[in-house]
Amino acid sequence: MKNSSLSEQCQETLKLNDRGTHTVPAPMVYPHQWLWDSCFAAIGWAYIDADRAKQEILSLLKGQWSNGMIPHMILSDSPDFNKEHGMWRSWVSSQSPDKLSTSGITQPPVVAEAINRVGKQLPKIHRLAFYKKTLPPLIKYHQWLYNERDPHNEGLVLQIHPYETGFDNTPPWMHQLREHNLPWWITMVEKLKLDGLVNLFRRDTKVIPANERIANLEALVCWDTIRRLRRKNYDIEKILHRTLFAIEDVAFNSMLVRNNSILKDLAKQAKIILPDDLLVHMASSEKALEDLWDETYALYFSRDFMTNNLLREPTVASLMPIYAGTISKDRADKLVAILNSSKAFWLKHPVPTVPKNMPAFDQHRYWQGPTWININWLLIDGLKRMGYANEATALKSHTLELVRDNGIWEYYNPLTGQGLGSPDFSWTAALALDLLEE
Ligand code: GLC
């Protein structure tokens, strides 16, 4: 298949998932607006219709809470989804918006990246107007991340639910949840092997094979964690009071570091002065990211906020400081060596979300092995900026080949290339389009 027809397919997918002012991730299982999905979708829309791309970001910012949080989901107002509204109940927080129903947590902060990419496709005069409109809420969001999520002023922000990382069922988080957030009734469900009953309530496993999705027990623990956060009205002080569970995720913080630096650049262009305290926090994040380095593994790891212990379980998150772009050449070389290792990450269709030589590797299951296009895209971008042109080119051609040969899927089997999860997936389309166009 030629490049032009892949580009057409990508454009058709975005149009299929277009809901006017925002793009749904995929028609079957993802009917709402998600934070990082919309950021990636906007990057693709910028090549098709720059105004539509702007709209995507503006509609995402409409969900912002009064404390500055951009929620990870803005829920569709269709009555078909009352169950989701009832699950999140954003109205329990006085900070949530009046007119929209949202989730009560956030997602990886890649908004600056999206604003920058969209801005690049606009004529200068429109670009600056767009920055002037979007930067104030974006600055407020980054301030919120530090004010609420960095209570010890360490430079690393913490996450309170695996969904905040975007890597929903990633093994280190699942192990921490099991250890610290497993209520007695879920233990009973496990003992009595009743977890199959969960399928009665799941929409995704009705249309996608269950072995490609989050396991039932893990889904239950995630749901129960939402319930706990909701009972504390999504108030971070109450949540952190006597909790055992919060993680400074290495991928989330790597994305924050990169997006801080993009934000600084955008503010300079728009002649907006960033608050001093935010600049101090931003500088501290670059340094603090290095505290996540483990010399023995030669990898970065997420850290348990409560114990300060690194969660030494390699996943693709360990490589994400390449995207941050601030790490030393020496450490980047070590990450690239592991990325290139055919035992770990450089499989037939790289980059798997869990390296193949880890016991948790599962070629089919969601964030426990499959290759995701947004992760490849972030790594390609980081590799380029850090001076690994050959590796970036190789990963780009593998990524485009994967999509071209198999179609526009949510994720892919890293050994066979088979498309998994949901077909017609927006960010796969948007980011493949960006890789084709650049
Ligand atoms: C899943 C993914 C998450 C994504 C969402 C919508 O929850 O794990 O990263 O944002 O679906 O596509």
Side-chain angles (χ1 to χ4, degrees):
M1 213 175 277
K2 290 204 194 79
N3 278 357
S4 62
S5 65
L6 175 59
S7 162
E8 275 160 27
Q9 283 178 47
C10 291
Q11 299 189 32
E12 274 163 28
T13 299
L14 283 177
K15 288 177 187 161
L16 173 76
N17 296 337
D18 184 9
R19 297 294 175 270
T21 53
H22 71 275
T23 313
V24 295
M28 285 192 309
V29 280
Y30 299 111
H32 312 285
Q33 178 173 17
W34 268 262
L35 192 165
W36 73 334
D37 297 71
S38 260
C39 292
F40 295 131
I43 292 170
W45 275 115
Y47 296 105
I48 307 172
D49 176 348
D51 277 332
R52 177 63 189 77
K54 273 163 52 183
Q55 194 53 250
E56 186 80 28
I57 309 271
L58 295 174
S59 95
L60 177 67
L61 295 176
K62 280 210 177 112
Q64 186 166 39
W65 287 29
S66 62
N67 57 6
M69 180 179 79
I70 303 182
H72 103 293
M73 288 165 87
I74 301 177
L75 301 174
S76 157
D77 56 12
S78 153
D80 294 351
F81 305 115
N82 283 347
K83 237 178 29 197
E84 268 103 327
H85 292 247
M87 178 169 81
W88 286 105
R89 289 180 224 169
S90 52
W91 53 86
V92 299
S93 166
S94 58
Q95 317 271 6
S96 67
D98 294 334
K99 295 198 182 113
L100 290 171
S101 174
T102 74
S103 70
I105 57 173
T106 192
Q107 237 187 356
V110 289
V111 189
E113 178 79 81
I115 292 176
N116 184 35
R117 303 274 174 164
V118 172
K120 282 196 173 139
Q121 303 301 321
L122 298 170
K124 191 164 178 209
I125 168 147
H126 293 162
R127 186 186 309 150
L128 290 182
F130 178 56
Y131 292 167
K132 290 224 162 81
K133 195 159 183 181
T134 50
L135 293 195
L138 181 62
I139 292 167
K140 200 169 162 199
Y141 176 49
H142 282 234
Q143 283 179 304
W144 171 81
L145 282 167
Y146 288 108
N147 293 344
E148 293 222 344
R149 297 306 188 84
D150 183 14
H152 298 162
N153 260 320
E154 299 165 315
L156 294 173
V157 298
L158 59 88
Q159 288 70 55
I160 52 178
H161 193 289
Y163 294 173
E164 290 203 308
T165 69
F167 294 45
D168 298 9
N169 65 341
T170 186
W173 274 79
M174 291 302 103
H175 293 146
Q176 285 296 104
L177 265 186
R178 270 181 168 268
E179 208 167 301
H180 299 301
N181 256 25
L182 202 63
W184 65 267
W185 62 272
I186 297 188
T187 316
M188 287 303 288
V189 168
E190 186 170 24
K191 271 213 182 108
L192 299 173
K193 296 198 171 45
L194 291 175
D195 54 298
L197 289 175
V198 176
N199 282 322
L200 297 175
F201 304 95
R202 287 182 69 162
R203 204 156 16 92
D204 60 342
T205 47
K206 296 202 172 58
V207 284
I208 296 173
N211 72 336
E212 295 174 19
R213 305 302 290 174
I214 185 169
N216 280 333
L217 267 175
E218 292 175 351
L220 261 190
V221 189
C222 287
W223 288 340
D224 185 64
T225 306
I226 296 174
R227 194 181 54 90
R228 289 174 193 229
L229 300 175
R230 190 181 70 207
R231 281 192 357 205
K232 297 188 172 178
N233 301 344
Y234 303 111
D235 174 331
I236 196 67
E237 273 179 30
K238 286 195 214 152
I239 290 169
L240 292 182
H241 182 62
R242 287 200 302 191
T243 188
L244 289 170
F245 183 75
I247 292 174
E248 293 155 331
D249 186 77
V250 60
F252 191 108
N253 279 282
S254 297
M255 290 185 246
L256 176 60
V257 165
R258 172 65 186 148
N259 280 262
N260 278 339
S261 109
I262 300 174
L263 172 54
K264 278 195 262 183
D265 184 49
L266 294 175
K268 203 161 148 199
Q269 292 181 54
K271 301 202 170 44
I272 292 177
I273 311 233
L274 294 178
D276 285 342
D277 62 326
L278 181 58
L279 289 169
V280 171
H281 285 307
M282 287 175 165
S284 69
S285 285
E286 289 183 20
K287 283 211 195 85
L289 195 60
E290 298 310 323
D291 297 339
L292 303 183
W293 175 256
D294 180 274
E295 194 57 48
T296 317
Y297 278 85
L299 283 174
Y300 290 85
F301 291 111
S302 298
R303 189 166 75 180
D304 182 333
F305 172 75
M306 302 299 157
T307 62
N308 243 5
N309 291 333
L310 291 181
L311 306 174
R312 291 183 174 78
E313 201 173 347
T315 69
V316 76
S318 291
L319 305 180
M320 292 307 282
I322 294 176
Y323 172 70
T326 50
I327 60 176
S328 68
K329 181 83 178 85
D330 177 50
R331 288 186 176 175
D333 280 346
K334 290 181 176 155
L335 295 187
V336 170
I338 297 178
L339 170 65
N340 281 334
S341 150
S342 58
K343 288 201 196 100
F345 287 108
W346 203 263
L347 308 186
K348 187 150 184 250
H349 304 283
V351 179
T353 34
V354 170
K356 188 165 168 267
N357 52 1
M358 283 294 121
F361 173 80
D362 178 336
Q363 60 187 299
H364 299 109
R365 203 183 282 284
Y366 220 26
W367 294 93
Q368 298 183 346
T371 295
W372 288 72
I373 301 307
N374 64 331
I375 299 306
N376 283 12
W377 186 88
L378 293 165
L379 286 172
I380 293 166
D381 183 68
L383 286 167
K384 265 195 278 182
R385 275 183 288 106
M386 294 219 62
Y388 299 95
N390 293 340
E391 284 78 1
T393 308
L395 185 53
K396 175 175 164 173
S397 61
H398 270 87
T399 305
L400 282 174
E401 186 188 290
L402 184 60
V403 181
R404 193 175 291 129
D405 292 350
N406 299 283
I408 300 176
W409 288 83
E410 187 177 2
Y411 41 96
Y412 299 85
N413 183 319
L415 303 177
T416 66
Q418 187 203 349
L420 303 170
S422 198
D424 303 316
F425 198 70
S426 294
W427 82 40
T428 302
L431 299 176
L433 193 58
D434 179 71
L435 293 177
L436 284 171
E437 293 279 344
E438 35 141 52

